[in-house]
Amino acid sequence: MVDVLALVEARLRTALGEPDARAAVTFLGTDRIEVLRFTEGDIVRYATLGMSAQPMADPTSALADPVKGPRAELVLSVRAGLADTDKVLRPLAVLAASPQVEGLVVAPGASLDLGEPLWPGAPFASVLVAEPGGLVEDLELDAPLDPVRFLPLLPMTSNEAAWKRVRGAAELEERWLTRGTDLRDPLRKSVALD
């Protein structure tokens, strides 16, 4: 059997360079999730490693397929030095463990809510899962395994999360774009939603 996590880590290193820190978190009844930190200039990227070890299963199916099904890892990018964003390691691991714990299939357009700030003092307690492929290309695996997708996470304020629930992910992303919102600013305020 192919070592999916070794291939995932190699893809992350190819795309983002060498990690300058890593932490591991294990939750009761789940596989170990690591979070790697990559620093490039004034941008810090946090990437999960472990979420893709098992395919995500449709919560409505009676049996989880141990081979087929979507696989993903999460990537969060923020500006360095503005907030204590290294405290995001555990919350990211919680999000990455959600397919195993809650039976979620994490896909673009989804909201993931932590119920607490992503890091101390963060104005964000949830994230929007964005489309993959821009920063880290999908990792193709041998059939019948699905490719591993590297899903960017975009932090949302509580107002943005509520607006997204009503109007949808595409409209929120359009609002961010038209207002020139710096989604990597760890201290940013909510975009105007009027």
Side-chain angles (χ1 to χ4, degrees):
M1 183 79 179
V2 64
D3 185 350
V4 172
L5 296 184
L7 296 173
V8 167
E9 184 168 354
R11 174 59 53 94
L12 287 168
R13 288 172 185 266
T14 299
L16 305 176
E18 286 299 312
D20 57 13
R22 67 193 307 149
V25 180
T26 305
F27 302 99
L28 188 63
T30 67
D31 296 330
R32 172 179 148 135
I33 303 285
E34 288 189 83
V35 180
L36 283 58
R37 183 182 72 191
F38 302 86
T39 306
E40 182 183 344
D42 70 336
I43 302 296
V44 179
R45 300 186 200 286
Y46 301 94
T48 63
L49 179 63
M51 182 177 170
S52 62
Q54 303 295 325
M56 292 181 273
D58 180 346
T60 61
S61 62
L63 288 172
D65 189 317
V67 177
K68 291 185 179 179
R71 295 174 188 261
E73 295 291 352
L74 308 175
V75 181
L76 173 70
S77 301
V78 293
R79 295 205 179 284
L82 301 176
D84 189 9
T85 57
D86 279 350
K87 297 284 196 290
V88 78
L89 302 177
R90 184 171 175 74
L92 269 182
V94 167
L95 295 177
S98 62
Q100 289 183 55
V101 174
E102 300 172 34
L104 295 178
V105 175
V106 178
S111 299
L112 301 175
D113 192 349
L114 282 162
E116 62 184 43
L118 286 173
W119 53 82
F124 320 105
S126 61
V127 294
L128 175 65
V129 181
E131 289 292 334
L135 185 62
V136 183
E137 287 184 29
D138 291 355
L139 173 64
E140 296 294 331
L141 300 173
D142 293 336
L145 302 179
D146 286 21
V148 176
R149 303 173 85 197
F150 297 88
L151 302 171
L153 299 180
L154 307 175
M156 293 188 292
T157 66
S158 57
N159 286 346
E160 291 168 340
W163 202 76
K164 184 257 176 193
R165 280 191 293 277
V166 174
R167 306 287 286 269
E171 284 201 35
L172 178 58
E173 290 184 80
E174 181 63 29
R175 178 61 57 110
W176 281 333
L177 186 62
T178 58
R179 299 294 169 106
T181 306
D182 181 1
L183 296 173
R184 295 186 288 197
D185 180 353
L187 301 173
R188 76 173 179 83
K189 303 287 185 235
S190 184
V191 69
L193 298 170
D194 48 8

